[in-house]
Amino acid sequence: MDTKTTSIVAYLTWIGTVIAFVAGDKEGARFHLNQALVVIIAGIICTFISVIPVIGWIVGVVGSIFVFVCWIMGLVAAINQEEKEVPLLGKIKILK
C-alpha cells in the first residue's frame, strides 16, 4: 500500500490499524499510524471508564464524543495528506 492508503486504512477500526501496520508503508504513514493508535486506545479507555456508575457514564459519554471527533479529524487529515495532530491526544507518541 502507498502512504495515503496506509494512512486512511489506519483509522478504519483497530483491524485497519493492524493491517496498515503490517502491510502498509510504515515509514511514510508513521504519523497517522501513531495518531490512529492513540485514538483507538483513548476509545478503549473511555469504554472502561463508562462502566463506573453515574460519574463514569457521564465521563465515558463525553470522552467517547471527544474521541469520535478526534477520529474524524484524523481521518480527514489522512485523506488530505496532512500531518495535523488531533487535539489533546496528538502529543502522545507511541510509535517512534
Side-chain angles (χ1 to χ4, degrees), residues 10-51:
Y11 287 99
L12 303 177
T13 72
W14 64 271
I15 297 170
T17 303
V18 170
I19 291 170
F21 188 75
V22 172
D25 177 18
K26 288 184 274 237
E27 291 303 316
R30 182 177 306 260
F31 176 81
H32 288 292
L33 282 168
N34 185 66
Q35 294 287 301
L37 188 60
V38 168
V39 169
I40 288 169
I41 291 171
I44 291 169
I45 290 170
C46 286
T47 301
F48 282 117
I49 289 174
S50 67
V51 174

Side-chain angles (χ1 to χ4, degrees), residues 46-64:
C46 286
T47 301
F48 282 117
I49 289 174
S50 67
V51 174
I52 302 167
V54 185
I55 298 295
W57 298 336
I58 295 167
V59 172
V61 168
V62 171
S64 295

